[in-house]
Amino acid sequence: MKITINPNAKDAAVRDALVAEGGFGKYYTDHMVICEWTEKDGWAEPELIPYGPISLDPATAVFHYGQEIFEGMKAYRQPDGGIALFRPEANARRFAKSAARLALPEMPEALFLETVETLVKQDAGWVPNKVGESLYIRPFMIATEVGLGVRPTNKATYLLIATPAGAYFDPSKAVSVWISTEYVRAAQGGTGEAKCGGNYAASLVAQKAAAKEGCDQVVWIDAKERKWIEEMGGMNLYFVKGKGADATVITPKLTGTLLPGITRDSILFAAKDLGYKTDEVMLSIDDWRDGVSSGEITEIFACGTAAVVSPVGQAKSAMGTWITGDGQPGKITMEIRNQLLAIQHGTTADKHDWMKRVI
Ligand SMILES: *Cc1c(COP(=O)(O)O)cnc(C)c1O
């Protein structure tokens, strides 16, 4: 990999002050990675360069037809001061799958991992120290062929940037959700399983509708029967049935329209390790309402790389409003959240070999 060090990299004191501010996506590290692909020559050698704007012809394909994919992953500070990535191979695999769906070139997993490790090593000083904080890493790829003809691109650019992420979890606040029966996120045969910007562009109007209903987030249901729960905004959903050691932790089944979250997958293992039964199910809006009113569903939470685990409280839909629990995060929700964070920060055994040391 070619390396060009940023001559204007922030002083350690300035950088540490920015990292200490917390927040998310406000500041970016001193460097980024860029790697070009052409149909003719394949992938070029990646380059680590100073973070900064890129210049593109206004007729570049991505601006017109949205041929773009991305990933979201994190690097965590370890007790000995080192840094480790959480399941980066899973992000590499998913990135290649998303690429295939969007007719973009599949980046070899080893190349993807090399770019991530190089950037994290170079900008290690930007990885926060406290539990719950991390360096959020955003790999993405855009179609860079110039021209307005609609066709799969013969040129693509991969970019990698990173931003410190503070601990923005507020345990006193459960997320309220609007179950959208008007808009859908994904249909069979569509791009629901791919992590592409277009899915998000199409979701924003529903997010607006949720806000208008006084809700924080939108919950998506299936496109065909308009009754099966899929996911929440950019996160997967979990439901806890029962209480204590007999509880079952369930999540909507991957039907081909849900985004297969790496946090979702990890929780299936982590919940089992904590002694709970787990299941992947078809869960309808009625099941949600009836489960909450009978008391069978005791806790609900959403999960994803950015927030790890977020408790869900009030659900509102065209069919009414119902509330889970007492508005406080559930016991099992917090137990699972703490277990994942302990693995990520290296304070408990990593029995599934999820952590990959960078330093
Ligand atoms: C990224 C994403 C998730 C969560 O995936 P993780 O790998 O756990 O971060 C869930 N749903 C959607 C729509 C997403 O884009």
Side-chain angles (χ1 to χ4, degrees):
M1 171 131 63
K2 281 189 227 156
I3 308 252
T4 307
I5 298 298
N6 187 347
N8 301 313
K10 301 246 178 356
D11 293 338
V14 173
R15 178 199 66 207
D16 292 350
L18 298 181
V19 172
E21 260 187 46
F24 178 74
K26 197 164 163 198
Y27 304 110
Y28 292 84
T29 67
D30 294 312
H31 298 87
M32 63 186 199
V33 175
I34 186 162
C35 189
E36 304 284 355
W37 173 90
T38 64
E39 198 167 54
K40 189 164 150 280
D41 298 322
W43 290 101
E45 187 183 352
E47 290 182 67
L48 180 108
I49 57 175
Y51 183 92
I54 55 170
S55 175
L56 291 168
D57 190 295
T60 300
V62 65
F63 294 139
H64 304 278
Y65 309 122
Q67 205 184 347
E68 186 265 2
I69 57 165
F70 66 96
E71 269 302 322
M73 54 201 293
K74 281 180 168 179
Y76 293 88
R77 190 67 72 178
Q78 303 299 295
D80 64 0
I83 297 169
L85 294 160
F86 181 67
R87 305 190 68 182
E89 299 88 353
N91 295 98
R93 267 197 304 279
R94 190 169 65 189
F95 194 58
K97 276 194 180 159
S98 298
R101 179 62 183 84
L102 272 286
L104 282 163
E106 291 177 45
M107 185 175 226
E109 287 174 23
L111 177 59
F112 177 94
L113 295 172
E114 182 197 354
T115 65
V116 173
E117 285 174 31
T118 306
L119 182 66
V120 172
K121 261 189 208 154
Q122 181 63 45
D123 287 339
W126 289 86
V127 181
N129 291 314
K130 297 197 204 88
V131 169
E133 300 181 337
S134 57
L135 184 71
Y136 182 84
I137 302 159
R138 168 54 58 87
F140 62 107
M141 196 198 302
I142 55 176
T144 43
E145 183 175 350
V146 174
L148 298 183
V150 181
R151 58 177 170 265
T153 192
N154 62 17
K155 271 182 76 185
T157 300
Y158 164 83
L159 289 146
L160 176 66
I161 57 174
T163 178
Y168 56 93
F169 182 69
D170 179 357
S172 66
K173 198 180 173 307
V175 174
S176 62
V177 296
W178 168 249
I179 302 175
S180 172
T181 42
E182 185 180 3
Y183 301 107
V184 293
R185 192 188 85 91
Q188 292 294 341
T191 56
E193 279 189 323
K195 219 166 165 67
C196 62
N199 286 344
Y200 279 76
S203 78
L204 299 174
V205 66
Q207 180 62 44
K208 249 178 152 171
K212 207 171 146 206
E213 295 291 340
C215 297
D216 302 312
Q217 287 286 344
V218 54
V219 163
W220 302 108
I221 55 170
D222 78 289
K224 197 170 169 204
E225 294 181 66
R226 301 283 180 113
K227 65 185 254 197
W228 304 107
I229 303 293
E230 297 204 327
E231 40 185 326
M232 180 194 94
M235 300 172 84
N236 294 109
L237 280 169
Y238 266 93
F239 298 78
V240 179
K241 282 191 168 177
K243 284 185 189 157
D246 290 331
T248 304
V249 176
I250 65 173
T251 189
K253 206 178 190 154
L254 299 178
T255 55
T257 52
L258 283 74
L259 195 290
I262 295 162
T263 317
R264 173 193 179 279
D265 182 71
S266 306
I267 288 172
L268 285 173
F269 290 95
K272 221 172 276 165
D273 294 344
L274 291 169
Y276 301 111
K277 293 183 285 292
T278 62
D279 206 1
E280 297 173 84
V281 301
M282 298 297 290
L283 187 108
S284 68
I285 303 177
D286 288 346
D287 294 336
W288 184 337
R289 184 195 52 216
D290 297 347
V292 166
S293 71
S294 75
E296 194 192 8
I297 293 175
T298 50
E299 302 179 26
I300 304 175
F301 62 91
C303 65
T305 296
V308 187
V309 164
S310 290
V312 174
Q314 175 175 289
K316 200 174 167 188
S317 75
M319 290 78 90
T321 298
W322 51 94
I323 298 174
T324 319
D326 55 6
Q328 295 298 309
K331 257 178 93 169
I332 295 173
T333 300
M334 291 309 288
E335 197 185 352
I336 289 172
R337 176 182 161 82
N338 291 335
Q339 174 74 359
L340 276 184
L341 280 172
I343 295 169
Q344 290 165 336
H345 284 284
T347 56
T348 198
D350 173 23
K351 62 185 261 196
H352 302 287
D353 220 6
W354 284 336
M355 304 309 293
K356 187 164 166 73
R357 286 295 285 233
V358 173
I359 293 177

